[in-house]
């Protein structure tokens, strides 16, 4: 709406005989204003501002003038509905018909000009006495502005303190509506002294996609958010951050005093917020939780929960990180960001559901567009040694087994030697000679090429005359990569393990068709046959077939390229990503943590705490969702919606009668109870309780459809999660009232049996126990130290 009656003019007053005529006069003046230029409107607003204390009419015109001025700057047109709001719902004009024509036909013709309107309002008028509004009066009840403002407050559950702060700003003498940004994005882009310094923690300063993300975020946020950068080791990107004016601090994560030194450095730089990048910065998340500092953990990796140790130790060679540390960090994290829905769901059960967010990585289109406009594609290709006749297939990314370059090299070798694509040239960019397994993998690519009789050379070893001649060229990691997209005809992403690599989006931004592995979150970015092709992972022949199709059809390449560009603009906007992160950093809070652990332990020491297993210690729902989705053929998101939000404790009662037999079959399926994963923080909490002198017993009932196998698998599960020493603490029983203890932590809404329970039931929060009143409730294991003592 372009205009609303201000509070000052909404005050109650007695009806005057000339009130209707005033409305007609105001309407005439208003539409004269709509025909004015921007400068004329600004001058009109100044005049009405001076005269506004003379009459109610002047206030209305002042309000209308600045709003119309704002609309002209935004190139918007006032609507009939908006005009009706200005005139208090008494607008004499018909919707849909041209306003100018109606002005000619109106009773108050001839049509007024701006000068006529200003002449009228400059005439002396007798002041109108207005009643003062007393506290508790309903004078604002007909005000459109007050109604809209109240609606916003109710919609967003704003507290009185927040509402008072907003009203104080709106009513301040310095408040000028025309100076207020039009969107939340524009408002959040402004700097503010109350924002804390945010420390960005990278896992290195080498040039790669994950670290480029940090650089992009820093560029987006540096004008509005105070930033500083920490990294465990130096690298070429240190200079990139410093060029942005950011301080880069190298911290030795292997030093015994690492956390102590780092805490001091954070205090020295007045850091109040942490952004940790990649799963390998789990140590920083744990530190932030210890300091009760708000944190945002951005995870790019796609590591299966049962392979965390493999990826941490063998693939990325992290000496101080293992599965246990990673799981502790997930449980402690306040906010976790994933670049795709698929990747977020991969870690289900390891973190609090409300902590998880999906934000698609955006790409800096402005930089890409400038490069495209400035550079000549023929010259870019020539600098790489390629002619107009060459068909260039690009594979960009760190050369390693995870990225699948062996399969793309095999496909290209066969295309050259067996399919007659003699002008095909493959360019592999991203080799580095640091880790032994990566060096060995590069050697494998050379062997593949040699076995097919295809020439393969390292770019850095070529003479000037040899550049562009090899059929496969392997180039070291590069800082500037845009030239490669411009030079390419087709881009390959043959990864075996990936989330959603930026190279796909960047390729599509350059209008290049992409042939990708159909894994992980890649289908969220590319539709098979539209922007490119999805192929099975580790399948060189599938890559070969799709590249051959693109090789033979230039029109198909052009069409897919255009579709890719359109998708980037729609889904991977750099500005949208920045907007989401600004909002997140402004609203993030520390994880729901706790009273000091020692305080809770002192009250629990010597007491017996009984702990249920399913959906209290372990994520029963998560395993059921995965198995039922597979067995029924339904989308995992659909099943998750039913299960995670169910109202009834017994799972089968939340499904239609026709599905219940399958539900029970899934529950009884072999290994179901053995593989259940712990809920965030549960294992750590129980271990802490036991080592501090609390008598912890696991108290669990077997499921009636598979009582024997269920009981056996529960013992195996406890041994796997908590160790053999915990087996003696496991009690399997159908009636928990027979077991003695001070506290029972259980998700079941009502726990009954033959005896009167001697323990206090602490309800572990789940969707199906929300209606239970009068019981102590624990929302997550991060709250045990404050919740359990309070139940005694």
């Amino acid at each position: 709406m372009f205009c609303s009656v201000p509070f000052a003019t909404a005050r109650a007053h007695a009806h005057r005989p000339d009130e209707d005529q005033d409305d007609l006069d105001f309407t005439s003046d208003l539409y004269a204003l709509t025909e004015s230029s921007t400068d004329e409107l600004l001058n009109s607003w100044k005049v009405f501002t001076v005269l506004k204390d003379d009459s109610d009419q002047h206030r209305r015109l002042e309000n209308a003038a600045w709003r119309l001025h704002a609309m002209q700057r935004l190139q918007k047109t006032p609507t009939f509905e908006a005009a009706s709001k200005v005139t208090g719902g008494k607008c004499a004009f018909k919707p849909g018909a041209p306003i100018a024509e109606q002005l000619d036909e109106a009773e108050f013709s001839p049509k007024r000009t701006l000068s006529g309107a200003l002449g009228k309002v400059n005439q002396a008028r007798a002041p109108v006495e207005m009643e003062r509004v007393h506290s508790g009066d309903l004078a604002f009840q007909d005000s459109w502005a007050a109604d809209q403002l109240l609606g916003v407050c109710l919609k967003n559950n704003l507290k009185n303190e927040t509402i008072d702060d907003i009203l104080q700003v709106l009513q301040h003498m310095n408040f000028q509506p025309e100076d207020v940004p039009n969107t939340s994005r524009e408002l959040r882009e402004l700097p503010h002294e109350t924002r804390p310094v945010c420390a960005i923690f990278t896992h290195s300063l080498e040039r790669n996609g994950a670290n480029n993300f940090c650089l992009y975020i820093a560029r987006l946020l540096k004008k509005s958010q105070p930033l500083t950068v920490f990294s465990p080791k130096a690298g070429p990107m240190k200079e990139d951050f410093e060029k942005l004016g950011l301080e880069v601090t190298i911290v030795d994560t292997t030093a015994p005093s690492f956390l102590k030194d780092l805490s001091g450095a954070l205090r020295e730089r007045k850091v109040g917020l942490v952004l940790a990048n990649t799963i390998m910065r789990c140590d920083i998340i744990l530190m932030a939780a210890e300091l009760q500092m708000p944190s945002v953990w951005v995870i790019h990796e796609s590591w299966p929960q049962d392979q965390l140790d493999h990826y941490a130790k063998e693939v990325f060679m992290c000496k101080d990180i293992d599965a246990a540390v990673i799981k502790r960090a997930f449980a402690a994290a306040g906010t976790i960001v994933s670049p795709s829905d698929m990747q977020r769901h991969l870690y289900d059960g390891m973190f609090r559901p409300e902590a998880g967010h999906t934000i698609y990585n955006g790409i800096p289109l402005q930089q890409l567009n400038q490069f495209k406009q400035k550079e000549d594609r023929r010259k870019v290709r020539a600098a790489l040694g390629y002619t107009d006749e060459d068909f260039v297939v690009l594979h960009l990314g760190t050369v390693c087994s995870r990225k699948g370059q062996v399969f793309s090299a095999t496909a290209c070798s066969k295309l050259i030697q067996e399919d007659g694509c003699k002008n095909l040239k493959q360019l592999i960019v991203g080799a580095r000679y640091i880790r032994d397994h990566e060096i060995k993998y590069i050697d494998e690519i050379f062997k593949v090429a040699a076995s097919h009789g295809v020439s393969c050379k390292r770019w850095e070893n070529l003479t000037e005359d040899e550049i562009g001649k090899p059929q496969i060229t392997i180039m070291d990691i590069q800082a500037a990569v845009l030239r490669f997209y411009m030079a390419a005809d087709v881009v390959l992403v043959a990864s075996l393990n990936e989330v959603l690599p930026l190279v796909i989006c960047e390729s599509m931004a350059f209008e290049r068709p992409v042939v990708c592995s159909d894994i992980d979150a890649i289908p969220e970015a590319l539709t098979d046959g539209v922007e490119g092709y999805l192929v099975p992972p580790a399948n060189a022949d599938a890559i070969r077939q799709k590249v051959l199709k693109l090789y033979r059809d230039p029109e198909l390449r052009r069409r897919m390229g255009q579709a890719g560009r359109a998708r980037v603009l729609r889904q991977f906007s750099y500005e949208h990503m920045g907007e989401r992160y600004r909002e997140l950093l402004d609203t993030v809070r520390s994880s729901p943590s706790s009273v000091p652990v020692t305080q809770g332990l002192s009250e629990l020491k010597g007491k017996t705490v009984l702990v249920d297993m399913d959906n209290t210690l372990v994520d029963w729902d998560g395993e059921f969702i995965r198995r039922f989705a597979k067995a029924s053929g339904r989308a995992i998101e659909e099943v998750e919606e039913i299960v995670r939000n169910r109202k009834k404790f017994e799972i089968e009662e939340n499904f239609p009668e026709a599905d219940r037999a399958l539900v029970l079959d899934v529950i009884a399926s072999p290994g179901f109870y053995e593989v259940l994963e712990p809920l965030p923080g549960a294992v750590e909490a129980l271990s802490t309780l036991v080592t501090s002198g609390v008598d912890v017993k696991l108290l669990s009932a077997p499921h009636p459809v598979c009582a024997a196998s269920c009981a056996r698998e529960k013992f195996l599960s406890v041994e796997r999660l908590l160790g053999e020493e915990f087996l003696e603490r496991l009690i399997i029983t159908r009636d928990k009232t027979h077991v003695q203890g001070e506290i029972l932590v259980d998700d079941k809404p009502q726990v009954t049996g033959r005896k009167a329970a001697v323990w206090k039931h602490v309800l572990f929060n789940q969707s199906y126990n929300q209606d239970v009143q009068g019981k102590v409730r624990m929302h997550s294991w991060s709250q045990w130290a404050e919740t359990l003592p309070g139940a005694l």
Side-chain angles (χ1 to χ4, degrees):
M1 294 298 182
F2 84 94
C3 189
S4 63
V5 182
F7 283 123
T9 65
R11 305 181 187 277
H13 57 278
H15 180 77
R16 305 191 317 274
D18 59 344
E19 197 170 55
D20 291 339
Q21 182 60 44
D22 280 350
D23 280 326
L24 289 175
D25 289 344
F26 171 71
T27 305
S28 175
D29 293 338
L30 171 65
Y31 286 108
L33 288 172
T34 64
E35 297 179 346
S36 305
S37 68
T38 304
D39 290 337
E40 288 172 333
L41 280 170
L42 187 58
N43 291 330
S44 302
W45 174 74
K46 293 177 180 177
V47 171
F48 293 134
T49 299
V50 173
L51 298 175
K52 69 180 180 181
D53 292 331
D54 292 345
S55 73
D56 186 46
Q57 197 79 317
H58 293 159
R59 286 193 184 92
R60 299 169 78 190
L61 289 167
E62 177 208 23
N63 192 28
W66 73 253
R67 288 181 180 272
L68 285 167
H69 178 259
M71 290 193 68
Q72 283 199 5
R73 287 190 302 168
L74 294 173
Q75 298 182 335
K76 292 183 178 179
T77 304
T79 62
F80 169 79
E81 291 80 1
S84 178
K85 296 296 182 184
V86 174
T87 60
K90 299 179 182 179
C91 182
F93 297 104
K94 302 174 183 178
I99 290 174
E101 294 178 10
Q102 297 185 67
L103 280 169
D104 288 335
E105 299 168 0
E107 295 178 4
F108 44 79
S109 62
K111 183 170 59 178
R112 297 167 184 251
T113 62
L114 176 63
S115 58
L118 290 176
K120 176 177 176 61
V121 299
N122 276 297
Q123 295 173 359
R125 290 185 179 182
V128 179
E129 287 295 323
M130 303 288 289
E131 291 184 7
R132 293 294 178 186
V133 179
H134 300 287
S135 177
D137 205 332
L138 298 178
F140 298 124
Q141 65 182 1
D142 294 326
S143 164
W144 176 84
D147 178 74
Q148 296 297 305
L149 185 59
L150 177 60
V152 171
C153 295
L154 296 176
K155 175 184 175 183
N156 294 281
N157 299 318
L158 299 186
K159 295 182 179 180
N160 285 346
E161 182 181 1
T162 305
I163 295 174
D164 287 340
D165 286 345
I166 294 172
L167 292 175
Q168 187 174 0
V169 172
L170 294 177
Q171 294 166 356
H172 195 279
M173 62 180 293
N174 291 328
F175 178 76
Q176 300 294 338
E178 69 274 12
D179 294 333
V180 177
N182 293 293
T183 65
S184 59
R185 178 180 64 82
E186 292 175 345
L187 186 63
R188 288 197 189 277
E189 284 177 348
L190 300 174
H192 201 277
E193 60 184 8
T194 60
R195 283 194 175 108
V197 175
C198 175
I200 298 176
F201 283 84
T202 71
H203 74 281
S204 74
L205 288 172
E206 298 297 328
R207 298 199 186 280
N208 56 46
N211 289 333
N212 278 337
F213 162 81
C214 289
L215 190 64
Y216 291 164
I217 284 294
R219 284 175 180 157
L220 281 169
L221 301 181
K222 69 184 183 73
K223 290 182 179 179
S224 59
Q225 177 76 52
L227 298 172
T228 187
V229 179
F230 287 83
S231 180
K233 51 188 175 182
M237 289 191 70
K238 182 175 185 288
E239 183 180 350
D240 298 337
F241 286 106
E242 290 174 338
K243 284 181 179 178
L244 295 179
L246 303 182
E247 180 184 12
V248 179
T249 304
I250 307 301
V251 290
D252 183 4
T253 57
T254 63
S257 58
F258 159 59
L259 290 178
K260 180 181 178 181
D261 295 342
L262 181 56
S263 298
L266 294 178
R267 285 193 296 270
E268 181 183 333
R269 289 160 180 77
K270 298 180 180 179
V271 171
L273 174 64
V274 165
L275 188 151
N277 190 48
T278 80
I279 202 169
M280 290 171 277
R281 285 279 63 87
C282 54
D283 53 346
I284 301 303
I285 295 301
L286 291 171
M287 178 208 67
E290 183 74 19
L291 298 175
Q292 296 191 357
M293 183 180 293
S295 65
V296 174
W297 193 10
V298 184
I299 297 178
H300 305 271
E301 297 85 353
S302 179
W303 297 359
Q305 292 189 28
D306 59 352
Q307 298 179 43
L308 295 176
D309 273 329
H310 166 73
Y311 278 97
K313 296 292 187 184
E314 299 181 31
V315 178
F316 287 91
M317 298 188 299
C318 302
K319 296 179 181 179
D320 304 316
I321 297 174
D322 57 22
V325 172
I326 293 170
K327 289 180 179 180
R328 282 175 51 214
F330 268 101
T335 302
I336 298 171
V337 179
S338 299
S340 72
D341 290 332
M342 167 270 150
Q343 193 250 24
R344 177 166 55 87
H345 288 303
L346 183 67
Y347 300 107
D348 277 349
M350 293 176 64
F351 60 90
R352 295 173 298 106
E354 63 271 23
H357 301 262
T358 297
I359 301 179
Y360 287 111
N361 289 334
I363 58 174
L365 279 175
Q366 183 178 6
Q367 181 184 353
L368 270 64
N369 293 342
Q370 289 175 351
F371 185 89
K372 288 176 66 178
Q373 293 169 4
K374 183 179 68 172
E375 301 295 335
D376 179 78
R377 184 170 187 254
R378 179 174 290 176
K379 292 180 179 178
V380 169
R381 284 168 65 96
L384 294 170
Y386 300 125
T387 67
D388 292 346
E389 289 72 33
D390 289 328
F391 184 83
V392 179
V393 177
L394 173 66
H395 193 150
L396 177 62
T398 304
V399 180
C400 61
S401 59
R402 187 170 62 88
K403 296 289 187 178
Q405 284 91 349
V406 161
F407 300 100
S408 69
T410 302
C412 288
S413 296
K414 289 183 177 181
L415 284 164
I416 294 168
Q417 294 293 67
E418 300 176 23
D419 297 315
C421 304
K422 299 301 182 183
N423 62 332
L424 188 149
K425 301 286 180 67
Q426 184 182 17
L427 176 60
I428 298 174
V429 180
R432 59 184 181 187
Y433 299 83
I434 302 172
R435 299 169 177 169
D436 289 340
H437 68 88
E438 292 176 351
I439 296 172
K440 291 178 181 178
Y441 192 75
I442 295 170
D443 291 338
E444 284 186 47
I445 299 173
F446 280 102
K447 291 176 183 177
V448 164
S451 68
H452 289 86
V454 169
S455 59
C456 180
K457 300 289 184 180
R458 183 183 178 191
W459 165 275
E460 286 72 18
N461 294 338
L462 297 175
T463 66
E464 187 174 346
D465 292 337
E466 292 174 326
I467 290 175
K469 300 298 188 296
Q471 292 161 308
I472 298 178
T473 298
I474 301 177
M475 187 184 291
D476 290 357
I477 284 179
Q478 302 293 308
V481 298
L482 300 186
R483 55 190 170 132
F484 303 120
Y485 296 118
M486 178 169 276
D489 294 288
V490 172
V491 179
L492 303 182
V493 180
S495 303
L496 309 184
N497 177 270
E498 195 75 83
V499 180
L500 211 169
L502 284 175
V503 65
I504 295 177
C505 306
E506 291 172 343
S507 300
M508 294 194 300
F510 271 91
E511 301 184 44
R512 300 295 180 260
V514 193
V515 178
C516 303
S517 295
D518 187 4
I519 59 168
D520 299 339
I522 288 177
E524 293 181 39
L526 182 144
T527 301
D528 186 39
V530 179
E531 301 91 4
Y533 291 111
L534 297 173
V535 298
N539 192 323
D541 285 336
I543 297 172
R544 170 187 176 186
Q545 291 169 11
K546 298 305 182 185
V547 173
L548 183 60
K549 193 170 185 179
L550 291 165
Y551 177 88
R552 292 173 173 170
D553 193 340
E555 174 58 25
L556 177 63
R557 298 199 300 272
R558 185 195 63 79
R559 190 167 65 248
M560 285 186 165
Q562 290 180 344
R565 173 77 180 187
R567 183 154 189 170
V568 167
L569 295 174
R570 185 173 68 247
Q571 185 175 346
F572 300 101
S573 160
Y574 195 49
E575 288 70 24
H576 179 65
M577 179 183 76
E579 181 181 351
R580 290 291 309 278
Y581 273 101
R582 281 191 191 95
E583 179 184 15
L584 203 59
L585 294 182
D586 279 349
T587 57
V588 68
R589 297 290 181 268
S590 53
S591 62
S593 63
S594 44
V595 224
V597 170
T598 51
Q599 179 182 329
L601 286 173
S602 63
E603 300 177 47
L604 293 170
K605 190 173 183 179
K607 302 292 194 297
T608 298
V609 176
L610 309 173
V611 179
D612 175 50
M613 290 187 65
D614 302 332
N615 277 349
T616 300
L617 170 64
V618 291
D619 185 16
W620 191 96
D621 281 358
E623 186 63 21
F624 177 83
I625 290 167
R626 285 185 284 273
R627 293 198 181 207
F628 187 82
K630 184 176 181 180
S632 64
R634 296 188 190 178
I636 195 167
E637 293 81 9
E638 177 189 350
V639 179
E640 183 175 35
E641 178 68 21
I642 296 170
V643 175
R644 296 288 190 194
N645 299 300
R646 71 183 191 269
K647 298 299 182 183
K648 296 181 180 179
F649 174 75
E650 299 295 349
I651 186 72
E652 64 271 17
E653 295 178 9
N654 299 276
F655 285 84
E657 188 69 37
D659 290 336
R660 293 185 180 180
L662 180 58
V663 169
L664 297 177
D665 287 344
V666 168
I667 294 172
S669 59
F672 183 95
Y673 287 88
E674 182 181 354
V675 300
L676 297 180
E677 291 296 329
L679 288 170
V683 170
E684 293 76 17
L686 296 190
S687 299
T688 301
L689 287 166
V690 169
T691 56
S692 302
V694 181
D695 182 23
V696 176
K697 303 291 186 187
L698 301 180
L699 189 58
S700 188
H703 198 284
V705 300
C706 55
S709 62
C710 175
R712 182 177 64 254
E713 290 179 4
K714 282 179 182 287
F715 276 94
L716 296 172
S717 175
V718 169
E719 183 177 14
R720 176 175 63 88
L721 297 176
L722 294 163
E724 186 178 353
E725 64 277 8
F726 241 92
L727 292 177
E728 62 183 21
R729 298 179 179 274
L730 175 59
I731 302 171
I732 304 290
T733 178
R734 293 298 305 274
D735 188 345
K736 297 181 181 181
T737 62
H738 286 286
V739 183
Q740 301 291 308
E742 278 75 26
I743 294 173
L744 169 66
V745 184
D746 201 311
D747 64 299
K748 192 172 184 179
Q750 301 295 336
V751 182
T752 58
R754 292 186 178 182
K755 293 187 174 184
V758 297
W759 30 254
K760 184 72 172 287
H761 182 189
V762 172
L763 202 60
F764 194 83
N765 193 64
Q766 295 291 356
S767 63
Y768 42 79
N769 60 33
Q770 296 302 302
D771 294 335
V772 178
Q773 303 294 324
K775 292 186 179 182
V776 176
R777 185 180 292 270
M778 189 164 77
H779 287 82
S780 69
W781 280 103
S782 64
Q783 297 177 326
W784 72 264
E786 60 192 73
T787 304
L788 298 185
L792 292 174

